[in-house]
Amino acid sequence: MLFAGRNNRDSSKSLSHFARIVEEILTALDVNLQEARLDTEQGYGWHFLRGSAIIEIYITEQNGRGYMQVLSPIIHLPETGLLPLYRRLLEYNLQLTNASLGVYLDVVYVFNERPLQGLDAAETNTIITMVAGYADDLDNELLNEFGGRLYSQT
Amino acid sequence: MSLKTLQQGIELIRQGHKSEGARLLKIALRSEEIQGEIRATAYLWLAETVDETSHKLEYYNLAISADPNNEHAKKRVSELMAKNLPPIPPPQQAPPEIPVPPTATPTAYTAQSAVDYNNLHTGQEIHANHQIAGIMNGPNGIATAFFISRNGILATTRFAVGGLKAVMLSLSDGNHIQADVVRSYPEFDLAFLHTNVNIAQLLPVSPKRQLESQESLTAVSFTGHTMKGVIRPTKSLIKDGWFPTTISTLVDVGGNPVFDRNNNLVGMLTNNANRSSPYVYGLSIHKIYHLVEQYAQEMRNTPKTSYCPGCGCRSKAGGYGGFYCEHCGATLPEAQDIQRSFDPKLAGLYGENMSRPCPRCHTSIGFYKGTCLRCGYQAR
C-alpha cells in the first residue's frame, strides 16, 4: 500500500469479500485478472492500464478497519515550473469529485481512499471509473503544459 | 555576548576578512538571542562572504525567514533573480499606461468633509458624496470603495473584489464606470482600484496614527447608510494596521470609510471578525496610504507588470513571455485562454535555478525545511 501511515493490526474479516467484488468489476472492465493481481504484504492488490493511465487498487486493513485505495500515478514531476504546477494540482483538487491529486516523491497521483464499510459494487465501480477517467484526462494535459514524463513511459 | 560576537563578525567582514567574519557570525547565529531583524542582518552579512549565487540566495532566504518584512533581503533576492532572467522581448503592442498614485503621504486636511457623518443616526440615509463609490458586481455582494488619490485610485476590501480583475463602480452622480483592480493585499483585506475619475478633494484624513480606546467611529456605505461604534477595548494583541471596533452589522460586504468624531478619515471597515466575537475590524488609513506608496514604488521600479488576481501581486512574468505568476503560480488572466507551456528559460523568475542541486533528483528547485521541493529528499 503506497501511502500507508496507519499501524497495522492482524485481522481480516471480510477483505476477501471486497476483493471478490473488485475482481468482478475488473472482469466486467475486461481486465485480465491473472495479469492484474499484485503481490502485496497484506490485503489484495491489482493494477491495469486504462487509456494512457496505470490504475492500482488495494484492499487493506489498517487499525482494524478495511479500506479500498484506488490510485493512479500519472506523471513524474518536471525539473522546472513546479510552482504553477503545484498550484494547478491544488486547483484541480477543488474540482475533482471522489478523487484527489497528490504528490509522493517525484510522482503525481490521482487518488481515492474509502473505508470498506458500506461499500458496494456500484460505488466501487464508480470510484474506479472516476479515478481512471481523471488520470487518463489529466496526464496528457499536465504533461503538455508543464512537461515532465508520463509515469507509464520509461 | 552573542551580539558582541556578531558585531565583531560584521566588523571583520567590513575590513575584508570574510572567512573569519563569517565564522564569528555563524557562532553568533547559534544563539537564540539573535532573532528577527538582527538575525536577518547577520544573514545578509553572511551573504556578502560567499560568491556563489545559490549560496547568497540561501542566506537571503534565511534572512527573510528570520524577518519576513526585511526589505533589504527581499530587494537582494529580487536583484539576484533578475540577473538570471532572459532579456525582455520587445512588446508586441504598447503596454497599457498604468497610473502611479501620489507619492505624498497623507496629511490632515484643514477643510472639513462636506458631510457631518457623526450627526447622522444609524440607518439614516444621506446623499453619498462623490468621494465614495459602490462596487456593484463583486463576488460576495455589493460593497463600498473610496478614493484615496486625486488621480482615481480607490481603496476597498479584497473580499469585495475577490479574484476579479475589474469591477463595475457606481458613482454618486448615478454613473457606472469600470474600475480595474490594480493591486490587492489579502493579508490586509485591501484592494486598490483604478479609474479615470479625477477627484478635486479627498476625504480629510486624521493625522492620528493610534486610535484611542472608546473613540467614536462612524462608517459610511456608498448608499449613505451609517454604522456607528467605538474603538473596542481589548487586551488582545492587534496586528499592525488593524483596529477593533464595536460594529457588528455591516450594511454591505465592507470597504466603508470610517470617520472619527471630527469627520476625519481613520480607516476602512472590513467584515473580518475574530472567532470569539461578532465585532468587525477596520484597517488604518495610514496603513492604506503606506501600502499605496508601496504599490507606487513597485510601479516605478518595474512598470511592465500585470495584476495577478490569484494573489493580488504585480507579476513580471508576462513581460518575459511567461504565463504564470511568479509569486503564487496562478495562470495570469491574459494567458487564460491560450495554449500554454512552461518555458524552462524562465526558471530564474520562479527562483528555481539558484539553489544547490538536490543530491537525489539533481534539480535546483530548492529546499523547504531541508526537504527538496521536487522529490521530497530530506537533506537533514
Side-chain angles (χ1 to χ4, degrees), chain A residues 86-103:
Chain A
Y86 285 160
R87 171 141 189 149
R88 182 66 56 80
L89 296 178
L90 288 174
E91 289 172 346
Y92 276 139
N93 258 344
L94 270 185
Q95 297 171 21
L96 302 188
T97 304
N98 238 347
S100 315
L101 284 158
V103 172

Side-chain angles (χ1 to χ4, degrees), chain B residues 32-52:
Chain B
E32 291 188 356
E33 286 172 32
I34 309 292
Q35 291 296 339
E37 192 178 350
I38 297 174
R39 196 171 189 85
T41 304
Y43 283 125
L44 288 173
W45 276 103
L46 268 177
E48 296 302 312
T49 66
V50 293
D51 297 323
E52 261 191 58

Side-chain angles (χ1 to χ4, degrees), chain A residues 77-125:
Chain A
L77 289 168
E79 295 189 354
T80 54
L82 285 197
L83 175 67
L85 172 56
Y86 285 160
R87 171 141 189 149
R88 182 66 56 80
L89 296 178
L90 288 174
E91 289 172 346
Y92 276 139
N93 258 344
L94 270 185
Q95 297 171 21
L96 302 188
T97 304
N98 238 347
S100 315
L101 284 158
V103 172
Y104 182 71
L105 299 179
D106 66 339
V107 177
V108 178
Y109 287 82
V110 182
F111 174 77
N112 173 288
E113 187 178 40
R114 188 211 186 281
L116 289 175
Q117 194 174 16
L119 184 68
D120 59 21
E123 188 180 349
T124 306
N125 189 28

Side-chain angles (χ1 to χ4, degrees), chain B residues 126-134 147 169-178 196-199 222-223:
Chain B
I126 59 163
H127 257 307
N129 66 38
H130 61 282
Q131 292 130 332
I132 304 176
F147 284 93
L169 276 188
S170 173
L171 303 178
S172 58
D173 57 9
N175 282 329
H176 286 69
I177 58 166
Q178 180 175 300
N196 293 320
V197 176
N198 287 315
I199 292 291
F222 87 102
T223 54

Side-chain angles (χ1 to χ4, degrees), chain B residues 253-266:
Chain B
V253 300
N256 320 90
V258 182
F259 300 89
D260 63 12
R261 64 168 65 88
N262 299 316
N263 289 322
N264 286 327
L265 185 62
V266 294

